[in-house]
Amino acid sequence: MDLHFGDSKPTDDERAAVDALLGPPESSWEGAARDEMRAADLRWARGGREARERRDLLLPGLHAINDRIGWISEGALAYLCRRLTVPPAEAYGVATFYAMFSVKPRPATVLHVCTDLACAAAGAAGLCAGIEARLGLGSGVSVERSPCLGLCERAPAALAITAGEPVRTAVSAPATVEAAVLAASAPDSADEEPPAATAVPQAGQPGLTLLSRVGVVDPTSLDDYRAHGGYTALRRAFELGPAGVIREVTDSGLVGRGGAAFPTGRKWQATASQPDHPHYVVCNADESEPGTFKDRVIMEGDPFALVEAMTIAAYATGAHQGHLYLRGEYPRAMRRLEHALAQARARGLLGDDVLGQGYAFDIEIRRGAGAYICGEETALFNSIEGYRGEPRSKPPFPVEKGLFGKPTVENNVETLVNVLPILTMGAPAYAAIGTGRSTGPKLFCVSGSVDRPGIYELPFGATLGDLLTLAGVRDRLRAVLLGGAAGGFVRPDELDIPLTFEGTREAGTTLGSGVVMAFDDTVPLPRLLLRIAEFFRDESCGQCVPCRVGTVRQEEALHRIVERTGADAAGDIVLLREVGRAMRDASICGLGQTAWNAVESAIDRLGAYE
Amino acid sequence: MTVIPLGVPRRLLEFTIDGAPVRAPEGSTILDACRAAGKDVPTLCQGDTLAPKNACRVCVVEVEGARTLVPACSREAEPGMEVRTDTERARHSRKVVLELLASSVDLSTTPRVAGWIKEYEAKPDRFGPDAARLNEEPRVDNELYVRDYDKCILCYKCVDACGNQWQNTFAISVAGRGFDARIAVEHDAPLTDSACVYCGNCIEVCPTGALSFKSEFDMRAAGTWDESAQTETTTVCAYCGVGCNLTLHVQDNEIVKVTSPHDNPVTHGNLCIKGRFGYQHVQNRD
Ligand SMILES: Cc1cc2nc3c(=O)[nH]c(=O)nc-3n(C[C@H](O)[C@H](O)[C@H](O)COP(=O)(O)O)c2cc1C
Ligand code: SF4
Ligand code: SF4
Ligand code: SF4
Ligand code: FES
Ligand code: FES
């Protein structure tokens, strides 16, 4: 490699931010001052493989700069690149991929105001206008319209991030103009967020499995977690041995809860049996699907459960290193998990000798930076590795060539947490919950026009109507979006659809990640569809043509017909169908393949433009 | 042309293309097999000297049992596969991809694309006059080559050629995301402030003319570029002892650009700044 770093210099602050992550540079080859010639300068130049192996610190490095300064200058980027031996053009390509980074100067405080589906229905447009009127130019706050912040149960939502040492964050949800402005201008005096359990209307009720500890256990106390049954599943795993654990998981019938519904036991078995080593475990905690917030609630309310479950997954598949890829907009989940990891390490539940069983395992948290596409499993690997979060084409599949090109098992947070009851109650008892092909309990994220939005746990097989009744559905229901932006709409007369993978499939729709968004007839449907199209256009990675251009053409057509029906809309609907079909058929990844689902269902099932 | 090195003999796989049995060496892509069988599958982002990026999706075919269509340029053939290259479904996607591309960028200098647009009955105009386009101004910031990203289909070939696949200079990358993604150097600076060493290997692989010799760009602007009047002569570069092959494109007794044969086993079409651009002394007749 022949790297050229230009001559822009970092400021002292920028240098300090990078050095806090990487340690001081050892030689002028990697950015130390040339005037104090160091002994190391004469002896070595770090380069080649050793340096390239640190490429995965690029994303944390960009975060370090952005957290401290609020944006990424040329000098800061060049310094980071020198430290990591990464070509600046590539690092620039990475920095400009993520919504949370800026390569142009901007105020230290950014206020992200959600304008996505649930928040839009709860008046986000007015909120934005009010905030912008109060925080005019020169306020030192940059107001940015944001996709779903994963706080839909408290819509409308806003998240303020103030760069500095340390970076400060404050959430306002349900947000008012006053509260959001306060969060942005004085994050330390903003109101404390309500505990995670407020997102769980059933909290504390008997009969819960996945949510049994949320609101009951102290999420910051390992002792309390153990007092509530924590770490019995891991003990059981060590008794069963890796093959025994995989057998239990397979027999339980568990399928992934991340949206694609792939059998977890099969994935684990396929990874475990790969001859290539090391193996990795990755927890997909990116959760950026609009309307989804279940993983956040688990991580905030019961973080040790996720740590324990990842340890079991690693033990079963022969991995010694786990990565938890956490969505960048979840500061509280980040703090809770970091604390949980530190406690687990201090108590020998992570590290060289887990539970005294001679098994080494540790977990590293990787923070995303605002890109829905990084939830796609292979894009997530690229993101961790320090590349643009673009999906890879499959095959090869992650079980064979995943993170760093090695066999990798990647699971969703909820999927992993299901492994605990599988091991404590045994596969047959677990499989007896739910229906034949959809076993176990399932979390649903209910938001929109309901009285008690939040996370609900129900055994598979309950109907959509059962769930909406629990959540207090309001009168004049117009439509329900099942499965999030990548899912589909159903009509109010279809509430008897059973909430199972096979039941929703039979009804021509999908369960996706368990999103249920209810909209009453005050919500203008064409606007909602436009918002969905805008989301996909914004979030497309841009790699393949059907999605990069198709999502733009879809949004344009929906704009044209936002106030039209019947014959006036017919031509554009034909266009939408043709482009949608090519996106579904020819896109590289699930984003492009599903970007037309919701709109199509609104046209076909709801008669959106009739 | 794909150069298949004659290494260890490879096992032949048997599968079918459009119902007819074919055999292809293990490791071949569906595209290799299609071409060997005389089928014309359109391709844009595929490069004969580069690992397939499969980003354009114009080469999609149907494979029995696959949920979505499959890019022929990168999917390896497997025994027993049933491939169909010309179904209504595959043709539909190709047509729409061509429409999407042609409505957003300038394909006027992309070889063969006009023929495919006709063949697939693509109508790029149907997205209306307000359909978003790239609308980039050509970047003329050095004397050697011009970047006209209005013609860029984001095939990633130039990035791969400049990066780890050939040149290892890493001067350019894809920046931004979605429709706003563009090929750029760091901080979108002029090329002259970047790591570029002007080897021109990116121009060699660019399928659309988005990257072109300054000489070609100027002649096109002046209306004097005439490929039919050009002759091509392949010779050996005289600068150093490596012996790279140069193909001189000559119009009106002037060298107008220099390319390099891709089937050369040493250089695979790559050159350095001297071989690619250092030809003025040859025609300095003063
Ligand atoms: C565009 C896109 C976004 C995705 N986002 C997420 C996500 O945020 N969280 C998640 O767990 N899975 C997400 N997935 C699904 C993952 O690719 C993958 O299937 C899942 O993490 C596997 O875990 P599971 O088997 O436990 O479900 C996404 C998929 C696509 C195509
Ligand atoms: S479908 Fe969209 S998000 Fe997926 S690879 Fe293609 S452009 Fe990227
Ligand atoms: S001319 Fe060579 S070094 Fe410059 S961008 Fe093109 S491939 Fe890279
Ligand atoms: S400039 Fe040319 S080679 Fe580079 S991505 Fe665009 S079309 Fe491809
Ligand atoms: S937080 Fe606004 S829609 Fe989810
Ligand atoms: S040529 Fe195959 S995807 Fe572009």
Side-chain angles (χ1 to χ4, degrees):
Chain A
M1 258 200 277
D2 167 19
L3 297 187
H4 164 105
F5 297 106
D7 46 15
S8 37
K9 294 270 177 298
T11 64
D12 290 345
D13 248 9
E14 290 166 346
R15 184 186 291 273
V18 173
D19 289 352
L21 176 76
L22 303 175
E26 285 181 51
S27 87
S28 59
W29 294 103
E30 50 167 29
R34 289 206 186 260
D35 45 345
E36 36 178 305
M37 202 57 167
R38 288 148 205 250
D41 288 345
L42 302 172
R43 276 189 280 109
W44 59 263
R46 196 204 296 275
R49 229 180 85 153
E50 191 191 345
R52 285 202 292 278
E53 276 171 1
R54 308 205 304 170
R55 169 84 185 232
D56 70 306
L57 291 173
L58 182 59
L59 183 56
L62 293 170
H63 266 304
I65 299 166
N66 197 69
D67 277 354
R68 176 97 53 126
I69 317 294
W71 68 286
I72 297 161
S73 72
E74 284 184 44
L77 190 78
Y79 181 64
L80 179 63
C81 287
R82 204 182 269 282
R83 295 296 318 269
L84 296 173
T85 323
V86 170
E90 286 197 357
Y92 179 74
V94 173
T96 52
F97 188 83
Y98 295 101
M100 291 176 85
F101 298 147
S102 171
V103 293
K104 300 215 170 69
R106 65 173 173 189
T109 299
V110 178
L111 180 65
H112 301 268
V113 186
C114 176
T115 52
D116 222 319
L117 305 175
C119 292
L127 178 66
C128 275
I131 291 172
E132 273 163 352
R134 285 280 295 277
L135 292 171
L137 285 176
S139 67
V141 176
S142 152
V143 180
E144 288 182 12
R145 285 168 170 72
S146 163
C148 177
L149 289 166
L151 297 162
C152 324
E153 86 280 9
R154 286 183 274 147
L159 165 68
I161 303 179
T162 301
E165 170 58 5
V167 62
R168 283 164 302 163
T169 60
V171 162
S172 173
T176 57
V177 173
E178 284 66 38
V181 167
L182 180 68
S185 50
D188 298 330
S189 46
D191 285 343
E192 190 51 45
E193 268 193 83
T198 51
V200 181
Q202 299 162 307
Q205 285 179 14
L208 295 177
T209 304
L210 303 173
L211 298 175
S212 63
R213 275 184 296 258
V214 176
V216 173
V217 80
D218 172 358
T220 63
S221 164
L222 178 53
D223 287 323
D224 204 31
Y225 177 66
R226 297 184 77 149
H228 285 88
Y231 280 101
T232 49
L234 182 61
R235 277 182 205 286
R236 177 95 183 103
F238 281 125
E239 281 162 31
L240 292 166
V245 174
I246 293 178
R247 198 176 326 110
E248 287 291 306
V249 172
T250 307
D251 291 349
S252 75
L254 175 65
V255 302
R257 308 294 200 234
F262 190 84
T264 307
R266 260 197 14 236
K267 196 187 273 187
W268 288 22
Q269 176 60 43
T271 309
S273 61
Q274 291 293 323
D276 193 11
H277 281 275
H279 294 180
Y280 292 108
V281 164
V282 172
C283 171
N284 189 341
D286 194 50
E287 191 168 65
S288 311
E289 177 72 45
T292 321
F293 47 100
K294 63 194 176 68
D295 296 346
R296 187 198 92 231
V297 171
I298 294 175
M299 292 186 285
E300 290 181 347
D302 195 10
F304 289 101
L306 182 56
V307 176
E308 182 183 358
M310 277 183 78
T311 312
I312 295 170
Y315 175 65
T317 55
H320 297 287
Q321 177 66 47
H323 293 264
L324 197 159
Y325 189 89
L326 180 66
R327 128 162 247 217
E329 294 90 337
Y330 279 178
R332 182 159 73 172
M334 177 86 182
R335 290 195 296 275
R336 292 272 159 86
L337 285 165
E338 273 177 341
H339 177 80
L341 292 181
Q343 285 218 331
R345 258 177 225 130
R347 301 278 283 280
L349 294 164
L350 285 175
D352 294 338
D353 184 18
V354 174
L355 262 180
Q357 299 282 325
Y359 188 77
F361 178 64
D362 212 326
I363 298 173
E364 201 180 311
I365 302 180
R366 281 311 173 90
R367 184 158 47 120
Y372 164 66
I373 189 60
C374 289
E376 197 280 340
E377 50 188 354
T378 58
L380 190 154
F381 302 147
N382 278 333
S383 179
I384 292 181
E385 291 177 21
Y387 294 91
R388 291 165 56 80
E390 293 172 350
R392 304 173 183 170
S393 53
K394 296 183 276 189
F397 291 93
V399 294
E400 202 187 321
K401 287 196 191 323
L403 186 61
F404 301 113
K406 296 295 177 183
T408 302
V409 57
E410 173 172 331
N411 280 123
N412 171 257
V413 172
E414 184 191 344
T415 312
L416 286 165
V417 170
N418 267 280
V419 171
L420 305 176
I422 289 172
L423 292 190
T424 49
M425 68 171 76
Y430 179 92
I433 307 172
T435 65
R437 301 238 298 290
S438 300
T439 61
K442 174 76 191 107
L443 300 182
F444 295 97
C445 313
V446 187
S447 59
S449 315
V450 294
D451 290 332
R452 291 175 296 279
I455 307 290
Y456 289 84
E457 177 181 326
L458 288 176
F460 273 113
T463 66
L464 181 55
D466 297 339
L467 176 63
L468 285 174
T469 306
L470 264 182
V473 66
R474 301 197 192 128
D475 293 341
R476 311 198 338 201
L477 183 68
R478 166 80 167 94
V480 180
L481 181 59
L482 260 188
F489 284 98
V490 298
R491 287 188 307 270
D493 63 356
E494 296 181 297
L495 299 187
D496 55 349
I497 293 179
L499 296 172
T500 57
F501 293 114
E502 61 276 16
T504 45
R505 200 178 312 121
E506 253 166 55
T509 178
T510 172
L511 212 51
S513 55
V515 170
V516 176
M517 282 180 146
F519 299 101
D520 63 25
D521 60 8
T522 62
V523 181
L525 201 53
R527 293 259 153 225
L528 209 61
L529 300 184
L530 199 50
R531 171 61 223 176
I532 292 175
E534 192 181 286
F535 172 80
F536 283 109
R537 186 258 289 142
D538 272 348
E539 298 297 332
S540 165
C541 83
Q543 204 182 188
C544 64
V545 176
C547 172
R548 177 177 76 236
V549 189
T551 52
V552 172
R553 299 287 177 254
Q554 170 171 290
E555 191 197 347
E556 288 167 351
L558 289 171
H559 255 297
R560 283 196 292 270
I561 59 175
V562 79
E563 308 216 305
R564 284 192 240 157
T565 52
D568 291 343
D572 277 313
I573 289 177
V574 170
L575 200 70
L576 282 165
R577 284 193 200 281
E578 289 202 16
V579 173
R581 183 174 173 219
M583 283 200 275
R584 182 176 291 156
D585 265 354
S587 294
I588 293 181
C589 84
L591 187 145
Q593 289 161 10
T594 60
W596 148 247
N597 285 1
V599 179
E600 182 185 41
S601 68
I603 293 171
D604 289 347
R605 287 179 104 104
L606 305 180
Y609 299 97
E610 276 165 16
Chain B
M1 202 195 93
T2 308
V3 186
I4 299 175
L6 294 175
V8 190
R10 288 186 294 171
R11 212 156 54 90
L12 288 181
L13 308 174
E14 298 189 10
F15 58 103
T16 67
I17 297 181
D18 296 332
V22 292
R23 303 170 73 169
E26 202 171 17
S28 321
T29 62
I30 293 175
L31 183 69
D32 295 335
C34 286
R35 290 195 170 156
K39 305 255 170 207
D40 185 25
V41 178
T43 58
L44 282 169
C45 71
Q46 186 261 352
D48 53 357
T49 62
L50 297 162
K53 180 71 184 167
N54 64 66
C56 78
R57 317 304 277 188
V58 77
C59 70
V60 287
V61 296
E62 239 181 296
V63 171
E64 181 71 35
R67 187 172 46 85
T68 57
L69 298 174
V70 159
C73 64
S74 60
R75 179 63 59 83
E76 282 190 13
E78 290 165 31
M81 234 181 201
E82 291 174 37
V83 177
R84 277 183 290 275
T85 64
D86 208 33
T87 60
E88 189 273 331
R89 197 173 159 209
R91 293 184 67 93
H92 174 81
S93 278
R94 288 182 204 156
K95 174 185 97 144
V96 171
V97 162
L98 289 166
E99 289 175 337
L100 292 173
L101 271 181
S103 63
S104 53
V105 300
D106 169 9
L107 295 179
S108 61
T109 49
T110 306
R112 300 204 57 190
V113 88
W116 293 324
I117 285 181
K118 197 177 270 167
E119 180 189 342
Y120 290 95
E121 294 170 21
K123 297 192 184 57
D125 297 343
R126 69 190 180 119
F127 303 115
D130 298 331
R133 287 186 56 87
L134 251 56
N135 287 331
E136 302 270 309
E137 284 301 312
R139 295 180 187 215
V140 190
D141 54 14
N142 67 85
E143 281 307 302
L144 301 181
Y145 81 96
V146 175
R147 301 176 289 158
D148 185 359
Y149 292 136
D150 201 37
K151 294 178 170 168
C152 174
I153 60 168
L154 222 63
C155 70
Y156 289 64
K157 277 185 188 171
C158 56
V159 176
D160 290 343
C162 185
N164 63 351
Q165 294 194 26
W166 290 112
Q167 182 59 23
N168 274 284
T169 294
F170 299 93
I172 48 177
S173 160
V174 178
R177 163 170 107 188
F179 198 73
D180 298 327
R182 297 286 188 279
I183 304 293
V185 310
E186 67 270 25
H187 292 278
D188 209 10
L191 208 58
T192 43
D193 291 348
S194 78
C196 177
V197 298
Y198 304 97
C199 61
N201 294 331
C202 52
I203 312 173
E204 181 77 48
V205 297
C206 180
T208 63
L211 305 177
S212 68
F213 277 68
K214 177 91 167 22
S215 50
E216 174 174 345
F217 181 83
D218 289 343
M219 286 174 77
R220 280 187 190 275
T224 54
W225 182 260
D226 180 5
E227 247 157 64
S228 64
Q230 292 171 9
T231 58
E232 293 178 18
T233 311
T234 297
T235 176
V236 175
C237 178
Y239 276 107
C240 76
V242 171
C244 303
N245 286 7
L246 308 180
T247 300
L248 309 177
H249 298 242
V250 176
Q251 180 179 333
D252 294 335
N253 219 16
E254 293 264 347
I255 299 172
V256 292
K257 71 173 177 182
V258 176
T259 59
S260 179
H262 290 200
D263 57 359
N264 182 301
V266 180
T267 57
H268 297 278
N270 297 295
L271 296 170
C272 75
I273 181 173
K274 293 189 285 185
R276 182 85 62 190
F277 294 107
Y279 54 78
Q280 278 310 333
H281 70 287
V282 178
Q283 46 203 24
N284 198 340
R285 297 184 180 86
D286 298 337

